[in-house]
Amino acid sequence: MISVKNLSHTFSDGTKLTFPDWQVQKGDHSLILGPSGGGKTTFLHLLSGLLKSQDGEIRIEGENIAAMKSSELDHFRGQHIGFVFQKPHLVKGLSVHENVLLAPFFGKKPERKSKIDEVLKELGIEAIRNKKINEISQGQAQRVAIARAVINEPDVIFGDEPTASLDDESCHAVVDLLRKQANRCNATLIIATHDSRVKSEFKNQLTL
Amino acid sequence: MNIIYLSYRSILAKPLSSLLSWLLLTFGVTIVVLILLISNQLKNEISKNSQGIDLVIGAKGSPLQLILANVFHVDFPTGNIGLKEAAKVTRSRYIESAIPLSLGDSYQNARIVGTTKAYADLYGGEISDGVWFEGPMQVVLGAEAARKLQLKIGDEFQSQHGLSDDGDSHDAHPFKVVGVLTTTNTVLDKLILTSIQSIWEVHGHEEEEEHHHEEADSLVEISHLEIAVTQEQFDEEEITAMLVKYRSPMGAVMLPRAINSESSFQAASPAFETARLFNIIGVGVQILNLLGILIISISAISVFIALLNSLKDRKYDIAIMRSMGATRSQIFNHILIEGLLITFVGGISGLIISHGLVYVLASSLEGVNPQAFNFLNEEWFVILGCFVIGALASVVPAIMAFKTDISKTLSKG
């Protein structure tokens, strides 16, 4: 379960953003909607511990991450959170399965080969496991990014505009895959987007 | 998965700039280590070949040339000195022993040295096969000379006048091999030794030979040189030089001055002349060393620029790694290790190449014994230096990576 109370963030230029109190039950999936520049990404970064908040309380599975030190946040992210971004941003020097392997390595989770093969298979990309990143397509790359996000069986998966650069068909496929994978590892899926194609897919929505 | 592997793959992901950094460092280290190895071996060779020789007495001319010709057997002799005066000089109370040398002939580029057994003893050369020469026209071969010339005991050969291949050959006076010496790893190995009398006989005039037997009974002993000659030889013949050992340290003070001023000879000290030689080539060595260090510095700059450039592309990679739980210090190590790996591999390849080059050079140079796999302590400093340079070049990019603001980077997408 995720709960947000009295959360606000002040940027270095003095702009202050205040966020509404919010709760998402474990396993529920939710959208964060709003126009570009409306604070969606900031809210997502605060929720996921990428950005430290100055005020308020953010509880994920009972732990208040707003009070954590930066090194504790690193550890918490590795253990409990998975990310999918607008672009896959895979590490070019590594192969597909090595890219997926980065998540358990940095997240200090067991690096199990069988687990990786299983996830790659579910995402339909087991055939490219040994390929280099510059040899695979954009759609395949986004699937690798999803595999990387779910391999550690996180409690929460955050998506920051994961569909913005995809065509309609891939957009639906990616949302579908994300939801399936989140359900499989009983994770809460939270997607920040302004993509209207995604809106109809989720009941729970928070508009900023 | 570990950080070192991650750095290694990151190097391979940008092969061209990594290759440039590696090449520069390898080249710089090769130059520095090569100079180190060669000057070290040269000093070794020189000290081995001039051991036990305090002073060389020979004809006037360049003192360096006198040393080079008579100790190292590389240059041409300065000329000859009369035996009679030489014998007089050896009676000095500062001289413990003197070894006569008579140079000027060769056989297929191997120098023939007229001398006594004391010369072989000086370098610890012992007969490994056959016997020591006693009669006229008998020779003993150095180990390497025997191998290169493919001569065995009992073989005969005609010497050539002069030290190069194109000299006239002395057809009338063939030499006969009677012995081969053990390997001493000194200049002795490449020489052909014979008696002084044999050298005189090769060059002797026919009329002298007629007198030879008549005066055989009245031999003159030159005790310091350990040779006995006829009165006519004593009066008329010449030798090339004498290798002198002092009786006491006072000899070093008194003897050279006495000889240079009071006789028609000159005296030169191998230690002094080789030190002078090193001074002359020292400038060139320093310039080459500077060049090597300059290239190493350029390689450090190239590593720095390569890392800094790649940081722009990798900002997002770094942010993603941080989002997956990587700590700041893991990211710092990732970049630092990348720089260290390049400089380490460059340093090691420089060492390997320079040792390989020394091996090739030494095998193609006569008389130098290839000791390509002797590692010097200084080489550890070179490797250490590579690490320091790698660390210096990558510490700034590593700090920048350490400070990456993940949220800002990721929100720019």
Side-chain angles (χ1 to χ4, degrees):
Chain A
M1 171 170 135
I2 302 171
S3 73
V4 177
K5 245 186 233 165
N6 305 326
L7 186 65
S8 66
H9 183 79
T10 312
F11 290 98
S12 49
D13 62 0
T15 337
K16 187 175 178 177
L17 281 177
T18 310
F19 300 100
D21 292 356
W22 192 45
Q23 281 199 353
V24 182
Q25 296 302 318
K26 172 91 175 165
D28 270 2
H29 306 321
S30 182
L31 288 184
I32 301 168
L33 298 169
S36 294
K40 289 194 304 294
T41 296
T42 307
F43 189 49
L44 200 77
H45 285 184
L46 286 169
L47 283 183
S48 57
L50 289 175
L51 187 61
K52 266 184 73 67
S53 59
Q54 287 95 345
D55 296 303
E57 190 185 277
I58 305 161
R59 286 193 178 275
I60 296 179
E61 301 307 308
E63 295 195 62
N64 181 12
I65 67 165
M68 282 184 181
K69 284 187 293 192
S70 135
S71 59
E72 290 170 332
L73 271 178
D74 291 337
H75 187 68
F76 185 84
R77 280 198 307 273
Q79 290 282 313
H80 300 283
I81 290 172
F83 289 95
V84 180
F85 299 98
Q86 179 176 345
K87 287 181 193 152
H89 284 291
L90 303 173
V91 178
K92 283 199 279 297
L94 301 177
S95 69
V96 164
H97 84 275
E98 284 170 339
N99 260 285
V100 179
L101 204 58
L102 284 180
F105 168 63
F106 284 124
K108 295 180 182 64
K109 295 256 187 165
E111 300 175 26
R112 290 204 312 267
K113 191 179 160 289
S114 56
K115 174 81 183 154
I116 290 174
D117 288 341
E118 186 191 320
V119 171
L120 289 180
K121 198 168 182 185
E122 277 179 49
L123 290 166
I125 48 173
E126 76 270 29
I128 58 163
R129 74 186 294 280
N130 292 319
K131 290 217 166 173
K132 284 184 186 151
I133 297 312
N134 55 17
E135 293 168 349
I136 64 176
S137 73
Q138 188 68 20
Q140 286 171 325
Q142 193 61 308
R143 283 164 195 245
V144 178
I146 294 173
R148 191 172 60 182
V150 302
I151 189 76
N152 285 347
E153 308 204 323
D155 294 312
V156 192
I157 300 168
F158 287 101
D160 190 5
E161 305 277 12
T163 57
S165 50
L166 300 174
D167 57 38
D168 289 358
E169 202 181 326
S170 310
C171 170
H172 278 289
V174 162
V175 169
D176 218 42
L177 282 174
L178 275 175
R179 192 156 38 196
K180 248 192 223 158
Q181 290 297 322
N183 287 339
R184 193 180 56 83
C185 47
N186 193 27
T188 311
L189 177 64
I190 294 180
I191 296 176
T193 188
H194 68 278
D195 189 340
S196 51
R197 296 173 299 183
V198 184
K199 273 184 203 166
S200 53
E201 307 245 2
F202 293 87
K203 282 206 310 285
N204 297 346
Q205 297 183 348
L206 171 73
T207 307
L208 290 179
Chain B
M1 183 67 56
N2 57 63
I3 295 286
I4 296 177
Y5 179 75
L6 210 56
S7 302
Y8 160 73
R9 292 308 293 256
S10 164
I11 291 172
L12 294 189
K14 40 182 170 52
L16 285 182
S17 80
S18 302
L19 185 74
L20 178 68
S21 309
W22 173 79
L23 269 183
L24 283 169
L25 196 74
T26 301
F27 194 48
V29 169
T30 301
I31 290 182
V32 171
V33 173
L34 198 60
I35 289 169
L36 207 63
L37 290 174
I38 288 179
S39 60
N40 197 277
Q41 290 220 351
L42 208 57
K43 274 178 194 158
N44 262 342
E45 291 289 318
I46 284 177
S47 70
K48 257 194 324 201
N49 289 329
S50 56
Q51 61 189 356
I53 304 171
D54 292 329
L55 197 69
V56 179
I57 300 173
K60 283 211 190 299
S62 150
L64 184 56
Q65 189 186 350
L66 184 69
I67 299 293
L68 289 177
N70 292 291
V71 178
F72 304 110
H73 297 276
V74 286
D75 205 347
F76 295 98
T78 46
N80 281 339
I81 55 177
L83 184 60
K84 197 172 179 178
E85 197 180 348
K88 202 179 103 197
V89 166
T90 59
R91 284 197 285 270
S92 159
R93 61 196 169 99
Y94 297 114
I95 292 179
E96 166 143 347
S97 64
I99 301 167
L101 292 183
S102 194
L103 309 177
D105 281 357
S106 63
Y107 174 63
Q108 292 187 2
N109 281 328
R111 294 185 177 209
I112 299 171
V113 179
T115 185
T116 61
K117 191 169 179 303
Y119 186 62
D121 294 342
L122 182 67
Y123 294 117
E126 285 167 15
I127 293 287
S128 75
D129 204 4
V131 293
W132 190 254
F133 59 75
E134 287 193 354
M137 302 314 292
Q138 294 182 336
V139 300
V140 167
L141 304 176
E144 197 188 318
R147 203 171 49 242
K148 278 214 169 131
L149 302 172
Q150 300 196 316
L151 289 174
K152 318 181 287 296
I153 289 167
D155 285 354
E156 294 197 347
F157 64 88
Q158 262 108 31
S159 62
Q160 282 136 4
H161 192 66
L163 299 176
S164 48
D165 238 349
D166 49 4
D168 300 328
S169 65
H170 297 292
D171 295 333
H173 301 274
F175 281 108
K176 187 172 183 189
V177 180
V178 296
V180 176
L181 292 170
T182 50
T183 302
T184 59
N185 288 329
T186 63
V187 69
L188 186 67
D189 293 353
K190 58 175 184 176
L191 299 176
I192 300 172
L193 306 186
T194 186
S195 68
I196 299 232
Q197 285 88 348
S198 302
I199 299 282
W200 292 336
E201 191 170 331
V202 171
H203 296 95
H205 307 293
E206 306 228 339
E207 45 184 324
E208 272 180 47
E209 272 181 51
E210 287 168 27
H211 296 294
H212 204 269
H213 294 286
E214 295 167 27
E215 296 179 34
D217 47 350
S218 57
L219 287 179
V220 181
E221 286 270 344
I222 308 172
S223 61
H224 273 96
L225 297 177
E226 293 173 7
I227 52 172
V229 297
T230 63
Q231 187 61 48
E232 190 182 338
Q233 285 171 334
F234 184 74
D235 289 336
E236 290 179 7
E237 287 294 0
E238 295 179 318
I239 57 174
T240 309
M242 296 184 290
L243 308 180
V244 170
K245 191 169 172 53
Y246 295 138
R247 186 176 295 261
S248 70
M250 268 308 279
V253 184
M254 305 302 293
L255 198 56
R257 199 188 315 164
I259 288 168
N260 287 330
S261 62
E262 288 165 23
S263 73
S264 62
F265 303 161
Q266 76 161 333
S269 141
F272 180 79
E273 293 306 322
T274 51
R276 206 164 64 93
L277 183 65
F278 268 113
N279 268 341
I280 298 168
I281 56 178
V283 179
V285 165
Q286 270 175 351
I287 290 175
L288 275 175
N289 253 332
L290 271 179
L291 187 73
I293 289 168
L294 191 75
I295 295 173
I296 291 177
S297 315
I298 294 173
S299 119
I301 295 169
S302 137
V303 169
F304 174 73
I305 293 176
L307 283 178
L308 214 59
N309 262 336
S310 79
L311 267 196
K312 281 180 208 150
D313 301 334
R314 286 156 73 187
K315 254 191 144 162
Y316 217 97
D317 287 3
I318 289 166
I320 296 266
M321 287 177 195
R322 292 288 315 278
S323 83
M324 289 188 281
T327 61
R328 283 171 185 275
S329 40
Q330 276 179 313
I331 299 297
F332 180 85
N333 290 339
H334 172 40
I335 305 293
L336 193 72
I337 288 170
E338 192 171 325
L340 288 180
L341 267 181
I342 291 184
T343 46
F344 180 70
V345 172
I348 294 289
S349 12
L351 281 194
I352 292 172
I353 291 176
S354 51
H355 278 275
L357 280 177
V358 167
Y359 182 76
V360 172
L361 279 177
S363 332
S364 64
L365 279 179
E366 289 173 49
V368 180
N369 307 290
Q371 286 172 335
F373 307 108
N374 248 5
F375 281 84
L376 306 172
N377 282 337
E378 288 93 328
E379 291 178 61
W380 290 112
F381 288 107
V382 175
I383 292 291
L384 195 73
C386 286
F387 265 115
V388 171
I389 273 179
L392 281 178
S394 44
V395 74
V396 171
I399 289 173
M400 287 169 69
F402 178 91
K403 285 183 172 169
T404 302
D405 185 329
I406 16 178
S407 174
K408 230 182 230 169
T409 310
L410 288 174
S411 56
K412 273 178 201 151

